Amino acid sequence: MELSSDSVVAPSDMSQIKSKDDVDGDYESLPPHVSVMTHMTAGAVAGILEHTVMYPVDSVKTRMQSLQPDPNAQYRSVYEALKRIIRTEGIFRPLRGLNITMIGAGPAHALYFACYEQAKRSLSDVIQSGGNSHLANGIAGSVATVLHDAVMNPAEVVKQRMQMYNSPYRGLWDCIQTVTRTEGIAAFYRSYSTQLAMNIPFQAVHFMTYELMQEQLNPHRHYHPGSHIVSGGAGRAVSAAVTTPLDVCKTLLNTQENVALNSMNIGGHISGMANAFRAVYRLGGLTAFFKGVQARVIYQMPSTAIAWSVYEFFKYFLTKQQLEQRAGPGPL
């Protein structure tokens, strides 16, 4: 949080001051340096909620990115896909793989937000003497992404394989054991380089856009849910659309789509970003690189809005609780 010096109220005077905007006043009175544990806790909660609430749309995105889809799994829109999946495969089918996503999202987002906040603060001190540096925000977002994806990539592999139409896996552990036995541990990181190639520019643009919009919509850095939602959603939508080609390649590397690979007479497994790009182009041309772009944008906008608003709220709430505990009980 960046706070203006004239807005900070001394802790001893806080109990006596009642402004017309008490919530904003309390938020501005929080210390500029929030604890790492607070960032990690708020980030973990935000990450789990982000992926949980929008998970059915993520399932649709994975299916719509299939390069050689089954005739029963060809969809015109996100709504039509969800309706048909529920009708033909059961109400819980769009949630298949959610358990591994929740297991991975907590620690991945805890590292993500904690690393971002610490790197942003350190780099801003160097680049702009403690001010809000957009370059620092972009670099911090990129560094945080490397840690996040290292934790989340194996969960993504399992999740996407369970999301595919006619997935051969009975459940979470069956998928993990089968992939490990048949393809080796390296299979869980086959798409890591592609994931980083996609997410580093994605998150750099996202964080820079978020902080820039916060400067315009919320210059005093109050706790203001509306600005967090708009800033997070807008930044992620633009980034999501631009990086869809890499996401399609990542999905192919994660799922090793049998029908698609067989149609190109690939008997083993495809690996590497360059091979994935060639395969996508051979199977569908340039348009194939934007398969599922609608579902990707629809997923990313609200999920990021949820993540930022929940993260900022828990950061505010947890830090306020810590301040109250340090201050002790008020006068009787």
Side-chain angles (χ1 to χ4, degrees), residues 26 45 50 97 121 164 170 225 232 241 309 316 325 328:
D26 285 348
V45 175
E50 170 190 353
R121 190 177 72 193
M164 293 294 287
R170 294 190 301 274
S309 58
Y316 157 71
Q325 289 174 2

Side-chain angles (χ1 to χ4, degrees), residues 94-162:
L95 298 177
R96 195 163 192 259
L98 177 59
N99 48 1
I100 186 63
T101 300
M102 293 178 67
I103 292 171
H109 280 74
L111 287 173
Y112 176 72
F113 279 106
C115 177
Y116 170 69
E117 295 280 7
Q118 295 301 310
K120 179 182 74 170
R121 190 177 72 193
S122 299
L123 291 169
S124 292
D125 287 342
V126 173
I127 297 172
Q128 202 159 315
S129 302
N132 185 31
S133 166
H134 298 306
L135 177 60
N137 297 335
I139 296 174
S142 300
V143 173
T145 297
V146 175
L147 289 178
H148 171 275
D149 288 356
V151 175
M152 199 66 188
N153 207 88
E156 281 283 317
V157 173
V158 176
K159 176 201 76 172
Q160 291 200 298
R161 293 198 181 207
M162 295 182 70

Side-chain angles (χ1 to χ4, degrees), residues 277-328:
F277 261 93
R278 282 194 291 268
V280 172
Y281 184 76
R282 283 177 60 189
L283 287 165
L286 292 175
T287 58
F289 287 103
F290 288 91
K291 288 176 73 70
V293 64
Q294 177 197 41
R296 180 164 162 78
V297 172
I298 290 174
Y299 167 77
Q300 292 287 358
M301 282 187 68
S303 68
T304 307
I306 291 168
W308 274 112
S309 58
V310 170
Y311 172 69
E312 295 286 0
F313 169 75
F314 272 90
K315 186 169 70 172
Y316 157 71
F317 176 77
L318 293 172
T319 306
K320 190 166 180 286
Q321 291 291 107
Q322 291 170 6
L323 285 177
E324 290 175 351
Q325 289 174 2
R326 289 175 192 166

Side-chain angles (χ1 to χ4, degrees), residues 156-298:
E156 281 283 317
V157 173
V158 176
K159 176 201 76 172
Q160 291 200 298
R161 293 198 181 207
M162 295 182 70
Q163 288 173 330
M164 293 294 287
Y165 181 75
N166 275 342
S167 172
Y169 309 104
R170 294 190 301 274
L172 166 63
W173 294 114
D174 177 54
C175 182
I176 293 173
Q177 290 170 349
T178 302
V179 172
T180 302
R181 184 177 63 252
T182 59
E183 302 176 44
I185 295 293
F188 294 104
Y189 282 94
R190 193 177 281 133
S191 65
Y192 186 51
S193 60
T194 303
Q195 183 94 335
L196 288 179
M198 173 179 68
N199 279 345
I200 286 177
F202 179 99
Q203 297 295 0
V205 172
H206 165 218
F207 277 113
M208 290 172 71
T209 304
Y210 179 82
E211 297 288 355
L212 179 62
M213 292 189 69
Q214 282 291 286
E215 283 185 351
Q216 304 302 315
L217 300 175
N218 190 17
H220 299 297
R221 301 303 172 120
H222 298 173
Y223 172 60
H224 191 273
S227 72
H228 302 315
I229 289 171
V230 172
S231 300
R236 203 69 171 256
V238 174
S239 301
V242 171
T243 56
T244 295
L246 286 163
D247 194 47
V248 172
C249 293
K250 182 207 75 173
T251 296
L252 177 62
L253 290 169
N254 280 347
T255 61
Q256 296 294 311
E257 192 180 340
N258 289 330
V259 176
L261 298 185
N262 290 339
S263 69
M264 294 189 299
N265 297 317
I266 297 177
H269 306 293
I270 189 169
S271 62
M273 184 166 59
N275 289 331
F277 261 93
R278 282 194 291 268
V280 172
Y281 184 76
R282 283 177 60 189
L283 287 165
L286 292 175
T287 58
F289 287 103
F290 288 91
K291 288 176 73 70
V293 64
Q294 177 197 41
R296 180 164 162 78
V297 172
I298 290 174

